[in-house]
Amino acid sequence: MARSVTLMVTALLVRFGSAVAQQAGSDLAYEPELPPDLNSPHGSLWPLPQNVQISPELYRLSEVQFRIVHSPQSTASVGCSILDNAFRRYFNYIFSSSAKTDQRGSGINGASSRSTEELRQLQVTITATDPECNQHPRISSNEAYEISVMQPVAILKSESVWGALRGLETFSQLVYEDEYNTHLVNKTEIVDAPRFAHRGVLLDTSRHYLPVKVILETLEAMSFNKFNVFHWHIVDDPSFPYQSITFPKLSAQGAYHPVTHIYTLTDVQIIIEYARERGIRVIPEFDTPGHTQSWKGQNNLLTPCYNGEKLSGMFGPINPVLNTTYDFVNQLIKEISWVFPDAYIHLGGDEVNFECWKSNPSITQFMQKQGFGSDYRKLESFYIQNVLDIVTANLKGYMVWQEVFDNAAKLKPDTIIHVWKGAYQKEMAAVTAAKFHTLLSSPWYMNVISYGQDWRRIYTVEPCNFNGTAAQKKLVIGGEACLWGEYVDATNLASRLWPRASAVSERLWSSEETKDLNDAYKRLSKHRCRMVRRGIPAEPLFVGYCDYEYKG
Amino acid sequence: MARSVTLMVTALLVRFGSAVAQQAGSDLAYEPELPPDLNSPHGSLWPLPQNVQISPELYRLSEVQFRIVHSPQSTASVGCSILDNAFRRYFNYIFSSSAKTDQRGSGINGASSRSTEELRQLQVTITATDPECNQHPRISSNEAYEISVMQPVAILKSESVWGALRGLETFSQLVYEDEYNTHLVNKTEIVDAPRFAHRGVLLDTSRHYLPVKVILETLEAMSFNKFNVFHWHIVDDPSFPYQSITFPKLSAQGAYHPVTHIYTLTDVQIIIEYARERGIRVIPEFDTPGHTQSWKGQNNLLTPCYNGEKLSGMFGPINPVLNTTYDFVNQLIKEISWVFPDAYIHLGGDEVNFECWKSNPSITQFMQKQGFGSDYRKLESFYIQNVLDIVTANLKGYMVWQEVFDNAAKLKPDTIIHVWKGAYQKEMAAVTAAKFHTLLSSPWYMNVISYGQDWRRIYTVEPCNFNGTAAQKKLVIGGEACLWGEYVDATNLASRLWPRASAVSERLWSSEETKDLNDAYKRLSKHRCRMVRRGIPAEPLFVGYCDYEYKG
């Protein structure tokens, strides 16, 4: 049995699945037979655009001649540095890390590959009066774009810079190299826009500290996958790496190390700007009242727990019965609202353990006074309600984990409920029936690993697959791939996240009908090799190779 | 609840296990409660030596003054470059990547840390007439050593260089830094030797090509864990990266790429020498007659399969009925025997699929002539028997996967049977009852992953836990951590292998009684931070941090 691929094609070997798998993982293996044709009609495009027309006609690109430029019709011009920087970035990617020979169109052996037709420019046209060069991306930013690749000038058109950024990534994915290293692009028409507006990646910098460099690398890889939200789960029980200007004791006492394992204001600003340049919003999460063991730098904030009538020396969730708590929260939210420009803050609210509250006499007294009986969920909602009011007063919107909704807190109509627990279809139905916007993460916990091609399970999730009206489905604004940090730090973050999170990115960007696993496998295997060549150690999908292996 | 560790101690946070785990992995999580005391009485030693006596007395080491030297009594001296190189390597590790403050002995605040006592030298004494400076390690190499750390001169004594290499690693693990960056070592006595002689790591360079640099990095990490065998599963179905001098067509046609994705003779020699310098044997595996789809560069070697009476165009295992097959095998084994100096070759022999053989008329004819009936296991054994005879004629010993034993091939008494299938206790009993040496790998497939601290499962395996006499148990010569390559390449190899394979290394080196998971957790978490500081991206065991995080 001869190998089913030619040597010069970036390809995955597929015939040996079953024999290989038995030795490797015995009955644990999940090795579907894969089709022998290793090229998708859509090449290495990922996530797949909504409408693509690729013609056999080919154009060459010269590194000396080719330019990405503002078109004369564009409302943006040189000086719109978010685009100027993107032009340079993608010029470099196109000429240093394009996919190798691709058999799309008439390919390497067809007459047109010897064509002398040349693509001289990619002209970028922004059509809105305000191109938003200096703004931050928002939930309502228009990421739609159109690409027309036709000799001698390709056109990329979008309303604002945000669509242009997505289109530049797509254009870079259209270019590939033939065996003589000539850069080629097919005549192509693309009309594209995301299916969902909120496409996020959650990183957890509390369970392990992640160096700024690792976060920036993740943002860059996110842009390759058209993710547009970095959900920064910045603090939690184990450590408090956020250096607050107002409350510097929080990180001084709560970080793993008060100097080396913190994020300074400059760090945060660099991350936000790096994200902005890639059309990515940064939403910080300050999870309360639980998950706050590391907040001990603030006196009298955490609830002192009792062992019978005596203080146990332990502390529980934030103390919801003291006025000082809300003064503190107000000042912290004020600072966060200024540091993080996004219109939303994630307020957490998950997994509050009531045991310590139950043990504390002043809390018992407060419960009686408020008429809460023994329903501590009411106390939790009381706390959350106060925090929500504070956030609203600071002119921010909020996202919360699903418990806040489950516990019946009164929520502003624009609240986003983040679904993370197991029976998610039921929860999505309930949340949207109550007319709240919602985000899905339950099936997309990237930290949860298993042997084999689990990207297939991740990919086949359909966020709107729950009982509900069309109006309810419209309330699903997207989802997030969550990489919780128990077992993840700088050593394994990138290879654990990529390309598995890419499966989420296509589900959230592409059409609901884009669900052919075989086609996805072909495109994703090339997309992962492209990520590797761009410096991201994305792990392999299965047996095979990249023309350019990761060099470390 | 306050954090249970002080800031300057490399430590793992442990109190938050359950709450943290629910969010992260829901019911998948495996989060035992861990003890609050984060220091083992044995510091960061890994694998734990057989006998260790650590005293509170402390000595300082000066980077300017301290030297590792050949002792005047040693049979080795300057010019024994395997030691000279190791002295330099460990000097660098001691002064650039020692563990941070350790509370062993009287620790940072005790009087003795202000002691002016200094350790000036580590003198290494080799006692055998031939120190084996220029030899290769063997199965019978003596790795035992003794260390006596006592001011002003520490002594490391071993019979040959192989024990000295192990002792140097141990000594480097005894040194740690206090908060002023002073390097300290406790007065210590160690008498140590491995429990098992064969402690291997298998890498698979066929399913994915691994750059030479990645293999060298793995060998270096293996030396940190006292592994002594690199089992190089160099070729298999998907690709043939070994560039044979005798049969260059094998890699020219069988490698993923005939130039960039091969191991040249020089590559192989560099790997063998790098391994030798670390006391690591390199055992190549040329797995036949199955797992040979990539061997198509040799004409008439693979069995042509039939579809009824017609050739199907597919090929099966190596054709066992042609004399040319054995001429080829003989020449290849001759070359391999010269290229790889180790006394053993791994001949594979696993997972032979008989379907193609059954379809081939000339094989059917041969079966009849030989009186094999329809028992194709007899044909397989016929082939294997011929190969074993060829290997024996080339003065090499051999290892085989368990099927070769299961199928009742006649084996030389010194054959090593490699157990990899699920019901391993039964197989170990049968193999040793037949008086063969055996190696365990079944529970140590490092490519098989699951959520949580699976190092605990790996660690608690007891290789001699099967029904058998004491004489049978003595036939267990060790085991191997296998990292099959379906889902592993340069992007994720190191973080997948380390520190999970470290759990295997302690099981194979340390005493059978060394099995306290809590103590292991404490030492291993520090050992993994040391690996990170030495440049290996070993992934975290759980929530926590290293003083020096991986920088990428």
Side-chain angles (χ1 to χ4, degrees):
Chain A
M1 181 160 62
R3 261 180 48 215
S4 59
V5 288
T6 54
L7 278 171
M8 298 299 294
V9 181
T10 298
L12 283 278
L13 290 179
V14 295
R15 294 272 175 88
F16 319 109
S18 52
V20 165
Q22 194 188 340
Q23 169 72 296
S26 68
D27 57 335
L28 288 165
Y30 172 35
E31 308 306 346
E33 281 291 314
L34 295 165
D37 173 10
L38 294 156
N39 285 301
S40 160
H42 295 120
S44 63
L45 287 170
W46 194 277
L48 190 67
Q50 301 280 345
N51 295 287
V52 193
Q53 301 277 344
I54 299 179
S55 307
E57 199 174 328
L58 277 174
Y59 311 123
R60 298 184 307 173
L61 285 77
S62 150
E63 189 163 1
V64 174
Q65 303 288 342
F66 180 78
R67 294 292 178 269
I68 308 176
V69 296
H70 300 279
S71 91
Q73 292 78 41
S74 180
T75 55
S77 57
V78 171
C80 178
S81 67
I82 193 170
L83 287 185
D84 297 339
N85 289 345
F87 292 176
R88 178 177 55 192
R89 201 161 66 240
Y90 282 106
F91 182 89
N92 284 330
Y93 283 140
I94 286 167
F95 289 105
S96 74
S97 56
S98 290
K100 279 296 233 181
T101 310
D102 190 300
Q103 290 167 352
R104 266 181 298 165
S106 51
I108 46 171
N109 298 313
S112 61
S113 74
R114 291 188 298 274
S115 158
T116 54
E117 289 207 272
E118 184 156 340
L119 190 74
R120 289 301 184 103
Q121 286 192 339
L122 171 63
Q123 292 192 353
V124 179
T125 304
I126 308 295
T127 59
T129 317
D130 178 3
E132 306 192 15
C133 298
N134 298 308
Q135 294 190 27
H136 287 271
R138 300 180 310 278
I139 179 77
S140 58
S141 294
N142 185 351
E143 295 172 293
Y145 67 91
E146 296 178 20
I147 292 176
S148 172
V149 179
M150 202 180 325
Q151 189 269 339
V153 170
I155 304 290
L156 163 59
K157 202 151 87 173
S158 65
E159 188 183 294
S160 63
V161 296
W162 314 117
L165 292 171
R166 303 296 165 241
L168 286 165
E169 174 60 36
T170 300
F171 180 81
S172 77
Q173 296 186 359
L174 288 172
V175 179
Y176 53 97
E177 282 182 43
D178 73 6
E179 61 173 313
Y180 302 99
N181 300 106
T182 300
H183 291 82
L184 300 170
V185 64
N186 288 66
K187 181 168 186 292
T188 304
E189 297 288 331
I190 290 178
V191 179
D192 197 15
R195 180 176 170 210
F196 293 106
H198 184 120
R199 305 179 309 280
V201 169
L202 177 150
L203 296 185
D204 168 2
T205 56
S206 174
R207 292 180 176 91
H208 286 98
Y209 178 80
L210 300 174
V212 171
K213 184 183 159 189
V214 170
I215 296 176
L216 299 183
E217 186 186 86
T218 304
L219 291 166
E220 183 75 328
M222 284 170 65
S223 75
F224 304 155
N225 292 277
K226 296 188 168 65
F227 277 111
N228 68 355
V229 175
F230 168 36
H231 175 165
W232 192 351
H233 188 85
I234 191 166
V235 299
D236 202 306
D237 282 328
S239 76
F240 195 105
Y242 173 75
Q243 188 176 44
S244 163
I245 308 153
T246 322
F247 302 104
K249 274 189 178 173
L250 286 170
S251 61
Q253 294 185 34
Y256 283 134
H257 188 287
V259 179
T260 61
H261 286 60
I262 62 167
Y263 302 103
T264 65
L265 179 60
T266 305
D267 290 338
V268 173
Q269 287 171 339
I270 286 170
I271 286 165
I272 291 169
E273 177 59 15
Y274 195 92
R276 188 187 78 83
E277 291 218 337
R278 285 151 186 82
I280 298 171
R281 302 159 58 202
V282 179
I283 300 182
E285 177 179 351
F286 284 82
D287 191 356
T288 65
H291 287 279
T292 51
Q293 291 293 311
S294 68
W295 299 44
K296 62 191 173 179
Q298 179 68 11
N299 284 336
N300 301 319
L301 178 65
L302 303 182
T303 307
C305 315
Y306 282 72
N307 204 336
E309 300 195 345
K310 283 183 180 163
L311 284 166
S312 73
M314 311 288 252
F315 293 87
I318 282 179
N319 192 332
V321 309
L322 302 178
N323 289 332
T324 52
T325 290
Y326 301 101
D327 293 342
F328 165 83
V329 170
N330 188 35
Q331 288 185 73
L332 184 65
I333 293 289
K334 201 180 291 291
E335 173 181 323
I336 293 164
S337 301
W338 169 75
V339 171
F340 294 90
D342 198 79
Y344 284 83
I345 299 174
H346 202 302
L347 297 172
D350 59 320
E351 300 182 318
V352 183
N353 186 325
F354 297 141
E355 294 311 310
C356 183
W357 280 353
K358 286 181 188 169
S359 77
N360 183 301
S362 69
I363 289 187
T364 309
Q365 206 177 0
F366 185 85
M367 293 279 289
Q368 286 162 353
K369 206 176 96 187
Q370 297 283 332
F372 290 166
S374 60
D375 188 352
Y376 285 83
R377 292 187 309 165
K378 288 185 178 160
L379 180 60
E380 180 182 353
S381 289
F382 170 86
Y383 167 83
I384 294 275
Q385 204 61 63
N386 276 288
V387 173
L388 298 182
D389 293 345
I390 288 168
V391 173
T392 304
N394 281 279
L395 307 178
K396 291 281 184 179
Y398 40 77
M399 299 166 55
V400 288
W401 295 110
Q402 70 178 74
E403 286 96 319
V404 176
F405 168 81
D406 297 344
N407 292 344
K410 278 175 214 136
L411 298 166
K412 279 199 298 181
D414 67 341
T415 303
I416 297 168
I417 310 296
H418 198 159
V419 174
W420 69 271
K421 289 191 175 185
Y424 63 87
Q425 280 101 340
K426 213 177 139 191
E427 183 78 5
M428 301 282 279
V431 166
T432 54
K435 298 197 164 48
F436 288 108
H437 285 97
T438 187
L439 275 180
L440 182 61
S441 279
S442 308
W444 291 330
Y445 270 28
M446 297 294 127
N447 50 307
V448 178
I449 52 172
S450 58
Y451 185 72
Q453 295 196 36
D454 68 346
W455 73 271
R456 291 170 180 267
R457 176 190 60 73
I458 295 164
Y459 186 79
T460 46
V461 170
E462 169 45 56
C464 292
N465 183 21
F466 59 84
N467 284 327
T469 63
Q472 275 177 271
K473 313 262 164 131
K474 275 195 181 155
L475 293 168
V476 180
I477 58 166
E480 292 187 358
C482 298
L483 190 67
W484 296 102
E486 283 83 353
Y487 301 103
V488 175
D489 70 2
T491 62
N492 59 354
L493 185 145
S495 62
R496 187 142 302 175
L497 192 55
W498 311 110
R500 292 163 72 239
S502 302
V504 179
S505 80
E506 179 149 302
R507 182 56 48 236
L508 293 176
W509 178 281
S510 305
S511 143
E512 189 176 345
E513 279 70 50
T514 303
K515 54 188 177 188
D516 178 337
L517 278 166
N518 286 333
D519 185 68
Y521 180 86
K522 296 171 193 172
R523 288 182 290 111
L524 187 53
S525 58
K526 290 182 179 182
H527 179 54
R528 102 91 188 173
C529 285
R530 177 170 48 227
M531 288 196 277
V532 167
R533 201 167 174 198
R534 289 179 180 183
I536 307 297
E539 67 176 19
L541 288 181
F542 192 46
V543 176
Y545 72 105
C546 297
D547 289 297
Y548 299 88
E549 301 290 355
Y550 187 65
K551 294 293 187 299
Chain B
M1 181 160 64
R3 262 180 47 217
S4 60
V5 288
T6 54
L7 278 171
M8 298 299 294
V9 181
T10 297
L12 283 277
L13 289 179
V14 296
R15 293 272 175 89
F16 318 110
S18 51
V20 165
Q22 195 188 339
Q23 169 73 295
S26 69
D27 56 334
L28 288 165
Y30 172 35
E31 308 305 347
E33 282 289 315
L34 296 165
D37 172 10
L38 293 156
N39 285 302
S40 160
H42 295 121
S44 63
L45 287 170
W46 194 278
L48 190 67
Q50 301 280 346
N51 294 285
V52 193
Q53 301 277 342
I54 299 179
S55 308
E57 199 175 329
L58 278 173
Y59 312 123
R60 299 184 306 174
L61 285 78
S62 150
E63 189 163 0
V64 174
Q65 303 288 342
F66 179 77
R67 294 290 179 270
I68 307 176
V69 296
H70 300 279
S71 91
Q73 292 79 41
S74 179
T75 55
S77 57
V78 171
C80 178
S81 67
I82 194 170
L83 287 186
D84 296 340
N85 289 344
F87 292 176
R88 179 177 54 191
R89 200 161 67 240
Y90 281 106
F91 182 89
N92 284 329
Y93 283 140
I94 286 167
F95 289 105
S96 74
S97 55
S98 290
K100 279 295 234 183
T101 311
D102 191 302
Q103 290 167 352
R104 266 180 298 165
S106 50
I108 46 170
N109 298 314
S112 60
S113 72
R114 291 189 296 274
S115 158
T116 54
E117 287 208 273
E118 185 157 341
L119 191 74
R120 290 300 184 104
Q121 286 192 339
L122 172 63
Q123 292 192 353
V124 179
T125 303
I126 308 296
T127 59
T129 317
D130 178 2
E132 306 192 15
C133 297
N134 299 308
Q135 295 191 26
H136 287 272
R138 300 179 310 279
I139 180 78
S140 58
S141 294
N142 184 351
E143 295 173 293
Y145 67 91
E146 296 178 20
I147 291 176
S148 172
V149 180
M150 203 180 323
Q151 190 269 338
V153 170
I155 303 291
L156 163 58
K157 202 151 86 174
S158 65
E159 188 183 294
S160 63
V161 296
W162 315 116
L165 292 171
R166 303 296 165 240
L168 285 165
E169 174 61 37
T170 301
F171 180 82
S172 77
Q173 297 186 358
L174 289 171
V175 179
Y176 54 97
E177 283 183 43
D178 72 6
E179 61 173 312
Y180 302 99
N181 299 105
T182 300
H183 290 81
L184 299 170
V185 64
N186 288 64
K187 182 168 186 289
T188 303
E189 297 289 331
I190 289 177
V191 179
D192 197 14
R195 179 175 170 210
F196 293 106
H198 185 120
R199 306 179 307 281
V201 170
L202 176 150
L203 295 186
D204 169 1
T205 57
S206 174
R207 293 180 176 91
H208 286 97
Y209 177 79
L210 300 174
V212 171
K213 184 184 159 188
V214 171
I215 296 176
L216 300 183
E217 186 185 87
T218 304
L219 290 167
E220 183 74 330
M222 284 170 65
S223 75
F224 304 155
N225 291 277
K226 297 188 168 67
F227 277 111
N228 67 354
V229 175
F230 168 35
H231 175 164
W232 192 352
H233 188 86
I234 191 166
V235 299
D236 202 305
D237 282 327
S239 77
F240 195 105
Y242 173 76
Q243 187 176 43
S244 164
I245 307 154
T246 322
F247 302 104
K249 275 189 179 173
L250 287 170
S251 61
Q253 293 185 34
Y256 283 135
H257 187 287
V259 180
T260 62
H261 286 59
I262 63 166
Y263 302 103
T264 65
L265 179 61
T266 305
D267 290 338
V268 173
Q269 288 172 338
I270 285 170
I271 286 165
I272 291 170
E273 177 59 14
Y274 195 91
R276 187 188 78 84
E277 291 217 339
R278 286 151 186 82
I280 298 171
R281 301 160 57 203
V282 178
I283 299 182
E285 177 179 351
F286 284 82
D287 191 357
T288 66
H291 287 278
T292 50
Q293 290 293 312
S294 68
W295 299 44
K296 63 192 172 177
Q298 179 67 12
N299 284 336
N300 300 320
L301 179 65
L302 303 182
T303 307
C305 315
Y306 281 72
N307 202 338
E309 299 194 345
K310 282 184 182 163
L311 283 166
S312 74
M314 311 287 252
F315 292 87
I318 282 179
N319 192 333
V321 308
L322 301 178
N323 289 333
T324 51
T325 290
Y326 301 101
D327 293 342
F328 165 81
V329 171
N330 187 34
Q331 286 185 72
L332 184 65
I333 294 289
K334 200 180 292 290
E335 173 181 324
I336 293 165
S337 301
W338 169 74
V339 172
F340 293 91
D342 198 78
Y344 284 82
I345 299 174
H346 201 302
L347 297 172
D350 59 318
E351 300 182 318
V352 183
N353 185 325
F354 297 141
E355 294 311 310
C356 183
W357 280 353
K358 285 180 188 171
S359 78
N360 184 301
S362 70
I363 290 188
T364 309
Q365 207 176 0
F366 186 85
M367 293 280 290
Q368 287 164 352
K369 206 176 94 188
Q370 296 283 332
F372 289 165
S374 60
D375 188 351
Y376 284 83
R377 292 187 310 165
K378 287 186 179 158
L379 180 60
E380 181 182 354
S381 288
F382 170 85
Y383 167 83
I384 294 276
Q385 204 62 61
N386 275 290
V387 174
L388 299 182
D389 293 345
I390 288 168
V391 174
T392 304
N394 280 280
L395 307 178
K396 291 281 184 178
Y398 41 77
M399 298 165 56
V400 287
W401 296 109
Q402 70 179 73
E403 286 96 320
V404 176
F405 168 80
D406 296 345
N407 292 344
K410 278 176 215 135
L411 299 166
K412 278 199 300 182
D414 67 342
T415 303
I416 298 168
I417 310 296
H418 199 159
V419 174
W420 70 273
K421 291 191 175 184
Y424 63 88
Q425 280 100 341
K426 212 177 140 191
E427 183 78 5
M428 300 282 279
V431 167
T432 54
K435 297 197 166 46
F436 288 108
H437 286 97
T438 188
L439 275 179
L440 182 62
S441 279
S442 309
W444 291 330
Y445 270 28
M446 297 295 126
N447 51 308
V448 178
I449 52 172
S450 58
Y451 185 72
Q453 295 195 35
D454 69 345
W455 72 271
R456 292 170 179 267
R457 176 190 60 72
I458 295 164
Y459 186 80
T460 45
V461 170
E462 169 46 54
C464 292
N465 183 21
F466 59 84
N467 285 328
T469 62
Q472 277 178 269
K473 312 262 163 131
K474 276 195 180 154
L475 293 167
V476 180
I477 59 166
E480 292 187 358
C482 298
L483 191 66
W484 296 102
E486 283 82 353
Y487 302 101
V488 175
D489 71 1
T491 62
N492 59 355
L493 185 146
S495 63
R496 186 141 302 175
L497 192 54
W498 311 110
R500 292 162 71 240
S502 302
V504 179
S505 80
E506 179 149 302
R507 181 56 49 237
L508 293 176
W509 178 282
S510 304
S511 143
E512 190 177 345
E513 279 71 49
T514 303
K515 54 187 177 188
D516 177 338
L517 278 166
N518 286 334
D519 186 67
Y521 181 86
K522 296 171 193 172
R523 288 182 290 111
L524 187 53
S525 58
K526 292 181 179 184
H527 179 54
R528 101 92 187 172
C529 284
R530 177 170 48 227
M531 288 196 277
V532 167
R533 201 168 175 197
R534 289 180 180 182
I536 307 296
E539 67 177 17
L541 288 181
F542 192 47
V543 175
Y545 71 106
C546 297
D547 289 297
Y548 299 88
E549 300 292 355
Y550 186 65
K551 293 295 188 295

